[in-house]
């Protein structure tokens, strides 16, 4: 049984240990992690929209020949919370194997203590991003 990637576990612990009043601030720092995709970017090819997000959010997970998972996200700057969810996954899953991605708990954002800091609707969006990412990886592994 694999554990989630070490970097993601660190991020989860940092959030879980933080005082409630700084959690949102910490979260928003991750909004800058994901680069803005140019409209004609080849990465947009085959991206899947996540309808649970309140903004137009697209993602793609790619399993590399080395069996690690690459994540590509596209989210408008005016949705900082959603961008931050993606930023946490982008940073936390860098170099992760498929098994490590599957080991990420589905209630990741609740474990980080975000359910108290942001609206349930937003948490649901973040949870949907993770679920779709896992599903895409699973499909590629056949």
């Amino acid at each position: 049984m694999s554990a989630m990637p070490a970097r993601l576990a660190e991020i989860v612990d940092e959030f879980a240990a933080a005082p409630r009043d700084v959690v949102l601030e910490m979260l928003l720092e991750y909004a800058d992690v994901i680069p803005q995709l140019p409209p004609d970017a080849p990465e947009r090819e085959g991206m899947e929209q996540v309808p649970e997000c309140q903004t137009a959010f697209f993602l793609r997970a790619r399993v590399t020949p080395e069996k690690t998972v690459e994540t590509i996200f596209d989210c408008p700057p005016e949705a900082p919370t959603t961008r931050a969810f993606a930023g946490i996954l982008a940073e936390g899953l860098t170099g992760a194997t498929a098994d490590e991605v599957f080991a990420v708990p589905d209630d990741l954002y609740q474990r980080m203590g975000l359910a108290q800091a942001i609206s349930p609707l937003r948490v649901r969006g973040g949870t949907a991003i993770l679920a779709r990412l896992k599903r895409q990886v699973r499909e590629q592994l056949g």
Side-chain angles (χ1 to χ4, degrees), residues 28-87:
L28 294 179
E29 284 172 17
Y30 283 91
D32 302 328
V33 172
I34 55 167
Q36 190 67 34
L37 275 188
D40 56 351
E43 291 89 6
R44 282 178 183 261
E45 210 45 50
M47 290 190 97
E48 176 181 0
Q49 183 160 10
V50 180
E52 291 87 346
C53 292
Q54 291 161 285
T55 29
F57 184 93
F58 295 85
L59 65 85
R60 185 158 75 112
R62 196 175 80 84
V63 180
T64 69
E66 299 76 46
K67 294 282 176 270
T68 59
V69 175
E70 278 179 359
T71 57
I72 304 161
F73 297 107
D74 187 30
C75 179
E78 55 276 10
T81 314
T82 309
R83 280 183 70 87
F85 284 147

